[in-house]
Amino acid sequence: MFAVQHLIETLVRDALTAAVDSGELTLSEMPEVTAERPRDVSHGDWATNVAMRASKAAGMPPRQVAEIVSARMSGHPDVAAVEIAGPGFINIRLSNAALQRVVVEARAKGLDFGRSEIGAGRRVQVEFVSANPVGPMHVGHGRWAALGDSLARLLGHVGYSVEREFYVNDQGVQMDVFAESVAARYLELAGREVVFPEEGYRGAYITDIAREILAEEGESWADVPAAERESYFKEKAYAQVLEHLKHVLSGMGVTFDVWFSERTLHAPGPDGAPSAIERALARLVEAGYIYEHEGATWFRSTDFGDDKDRVLKKADGSYTYFAADVAYHWNKLDERGFDLVIDIWGADHHGYVKRMEAGVAALGHPGKLHLVIGQLVNLFSNGEVVRMSKRTGEMVTFEDLLDEVGPDAARYFFLRRSTDQALDFDIALAKEQSSDNPVFYVQYAHARICSILRKAAGDPDADDVATFVAGLIPADADLSILTAEAELALFRKLAEFSEIVELAAAGYAPNKLTRYAEELAASFHQFYTVCKVVDPDAPELTVARLAVVDAIRTVLETVLGLLGVSAPQRM
RNA sequence: GCGCCCUUAGCUCAGUGGAUAGAGCGUCCGGCUACGAACCGGGAGGUCGCAGGUUCGAAUCCUGCAGGGCGCACCA
């Protein structure tokens, strides 16, 4: 709950009860009292629909109820006006003093402005990207990387203790195929006759890895048994790809606290103790959700709304991928004790949502897993669709994209759309480092402010304005002289920030932040056009407006920081 | 056939119960002898896919239909 919203709701509720107590209003039922922000600013800063909600219970038209309630909403210093409008809305306009106070608060809190404690220190894990370590990442991975990292920053800002994790699928047939593919290329390079595996990975990167092994170790591996060669190459190539993944991700500023290996779930514990998968399975047996059928071991996921039951242990004795996933989430929630676990999955995995939620519920942690399903990325270039395929070797990879458009534009573009919307990413457009690109619009506002501050300080070459703003602008600058429309509009936008942060965090929706950043930048640019900041003839006005632009600077830096985008002081 | 996501201005998209549905781009008109014009102001542009329902009120919730995307393994 935000201070101002709370204040308004209290004001309305008090007026309502006072009217009832005095007998002016008779209610068969007390309506819920809520305050909301009208979409249209001409309707005021806050509005309540309580008169419409109470209309039936009061047995009179909404506007009449509104008359009675609003008459009792006396002059609080933060409230400038109360009006009745439309079908019975009560519109409340904040006083200039209340709006000016937001600037003071933003300056006082600095980069902590907009922080909240709704997370209450609870431990949350965000697992994302988790690309298979057998090849380069596609652009969809880039989207999950930007999304997961920004979500982690956002959750941290609202009081959660956050860990970022990458799940590495380093066990299974894909790893075998991967090893066979590298081995086949190695043999080719060594001049041996070889039939490339039917289902092998044909990307050029496989040959690159083989070439590197050949350069390092010579041709000696061509003459050892295939199993020995492939087993060695598997580890060698796996390590290389993993390093590559880390390298590309760090190129966009994304790092992980934990790289979790799937192998550890299959591995027996010390002294032959059961593996994590076996322990999780035993837990499900104990809870009564397991049965045997046609030689396989099944999980009764239909008890939790899944379409059909799922196999955990196949008839041949091996475990399914899903079994490892159940064990993995048991490890997260039970052994590591996270209060909340967020997995970001591509839309191509949405068919697994129900069974995963069923697994978590059966393990005794219902509701602690939140799956974010992100729609896929369609890559365009000059209006042409670019197909992505791990097999053709012709795909544009995440790395390629990052090299072309840079980390700031890539992140911003990835985050600008809601996650359940497919993303059309036009490389050619994103490459244009022009005003078409909204990230530059926002960054420009920040750089422009820094330029003003440098000018005001008489230090055009200063590297970092943060080092001198405190000395330049007193904390108790008198802001009451700031009453221009453009100024008040800017203060209103500033006041929305805490609200936007909480909404974005609660909805796992960083795209709300990109929108806000653009709106705040627009409000600033409008203010800048109308209001001269540095004016030697008006020292008090100059100080007050410097306080404003400095507050905006900090909030722009904060919101860009939550997106993982840089806030340059010059461009 | 079943499930999930999507359908809003010419284009790309915001908007999950409120008032005259918004933004960017594009288009047309206008604004620098003020601190960064990478900026700002204004105009034109809409059957919120279609049809019912719920209620004081629906782009938003429910049902059905149409169109597009993605999935429906003892694969990973």
Side-chain angles (χ1 to χ4, degrees), chain A residues 119 173 234 243 263 334 422 490-491 506 545:
Chain A
V173 300
K234 183 193 283 185
E243 275 317 302
R263 289 176 183 175
D334 221 288
L490 186 55
F491 303 163
R545 285 181 172 163

Side-chain angles (χ1 to χ4, degrees), chain A residues 551-567:
Chain A
I552 303 300
R553 175 186 68 85
T554 311
V555 176
L556 284 172
E557 186 180 344
T558 304
V559 69
L560 285 171
L562 291 172
L563 296 167
V565 173
S566 69

Side-chain angles (χ1 to χ4, degrees), chain A residues 62-86:
Chain A
R63 286 193 69 105
Q64 199 176 335
V65 179
E67 290 286 353
I68 294 169
V69 174
S70 65
R72 290 182 172 273
M73 292 174 60
S74 52
H76 188 284
D78 287 344
V79 175
V82 180
E83 293 159 1
I84 298 163

Side-chain angles (χ1 to χ4, degrees), chain A residues 4 7 45 76-80 93-103 105 491 495:
Chain A
V4 178
L7 171 88
D45 296 304
H76 188 284
D78 287 344
V79 175
R93 189 173 301 278
L94 295 177
S95 66
N96 290 350
L99 293 171
Q100 289 151 357
R101 214 169 51 227
V102 178
V103 176
E105 189 196 340
F491 303 163

Side-chain angles (χ1 to χ4, degrees), chain A residues 62-288:
Chain A
R63 286 193 69 105
Q64 199 176 335
V65 179
E67 290 286 353
I68 294 169
V69 174
S70 65
R72 290 182 172 273
M73 292 174 60
S74 52
H76 188 284
D78 287 344
V79 175
V82 180
E83 293 159 1
I84 298 163
F89 288 101
I90 300 173
N91 293 336
I92 297 134
R93 189 173 301 278
L94 295 177
S95 66
N96 290 350
L99 293 171
Q100 289 151 357
R101 214 169 51 227
V102 178
V103 176
V104 177
E105 189 196 340
R107 289 201 71 219
K109 292 193 174 165
L111 295 174
D112 288 329
F113 183 59
R115 263 190 197 281
S116 85
E117 290 305 322
I118 54 175
R122 278 173 292 177
R123 294 178 60 229
V124 57
Q125 183 212 55
V126 184
E127 183 219 317
F128 58 109
V129 185
S130 300
N132 290 331
V134 297
M137 289 176 285
H138 55 69
V139 292
H141 290 121
R143 188 179 190 185
W144 317 142
L147 180 62
D149 185 63
S150 180
L151 211 44
R153 290 164 186 253
L154 193 48
L155 291 169
H157 207 69
V158 297
Y160 285 93
S161 166
V162 187
E163 275 188 33
R164 294 166 172 80
E165 183 152 317
F166 188 118
Y167 180 56
V168 189
N169 298 122
D170 52 6
Q171 170 139 0
V173 300
Q174 64 181 356
M175 288 294 285
D176 298 336
V177 172
F178 175 51
E180 287 165 26
S181 304
V182 173
R185 293 302 186 210
Y186 173 88
L187 293 173
E188 280 174 14
L189 290 170
R192 308 300 168 98
E193 287 278 319
V194 60
V195 180
F196 196 79
E198 186 92 1
E199 299 295 321
Y201 299 124
R202 294 174 185 279
Y205 69 95
I206 295 285
T207 311
D208 294 341
I209 293 171
R211 189 176 292 117
E212 207 162 311
I213 294 176
L214 188 66
E216 277 178 24
E217 317 223 358
E219 295 187 10
S220 58
W221 288 100
D223 299 311
V224 306
E228 196 180 321
R229 175 171 55 241
E230 282 162 18
S231 155
Y232 178 77
F233 281 19
K234 183 193 283 185
E235 299 314 309
K236 191 94 180 163
Y238 165 43
Q240 273 199 32
V241 171
L242 209 55
E243 275 317 302
H244 174 75
L245 298 180
K246 289 181 186 180
H247 170 74
V248 173
L249 287 163
S250 73
M252 201 172 71
V254 176
T255 56
F256 292 86
D257 301 299
V258 177
W259 291 73
F260 192 97
S261 161
E262 181 188 349
R263 289 176 183 175
T264 61
L265 299 169
H266 295 266
D271 301 327
S275 69
I277 291 179
E278 287 160 345
R279 292 199 300 275
L281 187 54
R283 175 73 158 260
L284 291 177
V285 168
E286 199 181 324

Side-chain angles (χ1 to χ4, degrees), chain A residues 12-33 49-62 64-66 68-69 72:
Chain A
V12 175
R13 198 176 295 112
D14 289 352
L16 192 63
T17 36
V20 171
D21 290 348
S22 73
E24 241 184 309
L25 208 56
T26 312
L27 290 173
S28 56
E29 187 187 359
M30 192 69 179
E32 191 189 351
V33 174
N49 59 2
V50 74
M52 280 112 87
R53 282 171 179 267
S55 171
K56 222 174 206 175
M60 57 175 75
Q64 199 176 335
V65 179
I68 294 169
V69 174
R72 290 182 172 273

Side-chain angles (χ1 to χ4, degrees), chain A residues 200-526:
Chain A
Y201 299 124
R202 294 174 185 279
Y205 69 95
I206 295 285
T207 311
D208 294 341
I209 293 171
R211 189 176 292 117
E212 207 162 311
I213 294 176
L214 188 66
E216 277 178 24
E217 317 223 358
E219 295 187 10
S220 58
W221 288 100
D223 299 311
V224 306
E228 196 180 321
R229 175 171 55 241
E230 282 162 18
S231 155
Y232 178 77
F233 281 19
K234 183 193 283 185
E235 299 314 309
K236 191 94 180 163
Y238 165 43
Q240 273 199 32
V241 171
L242 209 55
E243 275 317 302
H244 174 75
L245 298 180
K246 289 181 186 180
H247 170 74
V248 173
L249 287 163
S250 73
M252 201 172 71
V254 176
T255 56
F256 292 86
D257 301 299
V258 177
W259 291 73
F260 192 97
S261 161
E262 181 188 349
R263 289 176 183 175
T264 61
L265 299 169
H266 295 266
D271 301 327
S275 69
I277 291 179
E278 287 160 345
R279 292 199 300 275
L281 187 54
R283 175 73 158 260
L284 291 177
V285 168
E286 199 181 324
Y289 296 114
I290 298 297
Y291 63 94
E292 303 288 325
H293 178 64
E294 292 181 347
T297 301
W298 295 72
F299 166 49
R300 196 179 292 104
S301 56
T302 48
D303 281 5
F304 300 91
D306 196 6
D307 301 334
K308 52 172 289 194
D309 292 341
R310 305 293 173 177
V311 171
L312 291 175
K313 191 175 189 177
K314 296 182 253 180
D316 68 4
S318 65
Y319 290 102
T320 59
Y321 179 86
F322 178 55
D325 249 351
V326 169
Y328 181 38
H329 285 80
W330 177 70
N331 169 276
K332 293 183 183 195
L333 289 164
D334 221 288
E335 299 193 323
R336 285 192 276 168
F338 285 106
D339 298 305
L340 176 66
V341 164
I342 296 169
D343 291 0
I344 297 176
W345 291 358
D348 53 339
H349 286 86
H350 74 258
Y352 300 85
V353 170
K354 275 188 181 165
R355 79 187 66 165
M356 197 66 251
E357 287 174 344
V360 167
L363 289 167
H365 299 285
K368 286 194 188 175
L369 170 66
H370 184 86
L371 290 157
V372 174
I373 300 303
Q375 296 297 313
L376 303 174
V377 176
N378 300 310
L379 208 51
F380 290 83
S381 192
N382 297 317
E384 300 239 331
V385 177
V386 179
R387 274 195 64 80
M388 294 174 286
S389 167
K390 284 217 165 186
R391 302 296 170 87
T392 62
E394 293 170 2
M395 66 175 176
V396 174
T397 64
F398 171 34
E399 184 182 25
D400 296 333
L401 185 68
L402 208 47
D403 286 346
E404 289 200 56
V405 309
D408 282 348
R411 285 184 90 129
Y412 200 91
F413 267 62
F414 281 138
L415 293 173
R416 208 161 171 249
R417 299 285 173 252
S418 79
T419 55
D420 50 17
Q421 188 84 238
L423 176 68
D424 285 344
F425 198 122
D426 191 318
I427 301 175
L429 182 69
K431 269 168 77 174
E432 273 181 41
Q433 309 240 324
S434 73
S435 58
D436 285 350
N437 192 336
V439 70
F440 290 112
Y441 180 80
V442 177
Q443 289 179 319
Y444 177 64
H446 184 267
R448 208 179 199 189
I449 288 171
C450 292
S451 175
I452 296 169
L453 292 170
R454 286 191 298 265
K455 182 186 172 76
D459 187 359
D461 299 319
D463 289 330
D464 182 4
V465 300
T467 57
F468 61 72
V469 285
L472 184 66
I473 316 158
D476 60 352
D478 176 19
L479 304 182
S480 66
I481 51 178
L482 303 179
T483 58
E485 256 327 299
E487 286 168 334
L488 297 172
L490 186 55
F491 303 163
R492 287 190 174 95
K493 190 53 71 181
L494 200 56
E496 284 178 36
F497 185 57
S498 324
E499 213 172 322
I500 296 290
V501 169
E502 287 196 10
L503 283 171
Y508 307 108
N511 65 303
K512 290 184 192 299
L513 295 177
T514 61
R515 188 168 196 81
Y516 176 78
E518 288 163 44
E519 288 171 358
L520 182 63
S523 289
F524 163 72
H525 287 309
Q526 286 154 17

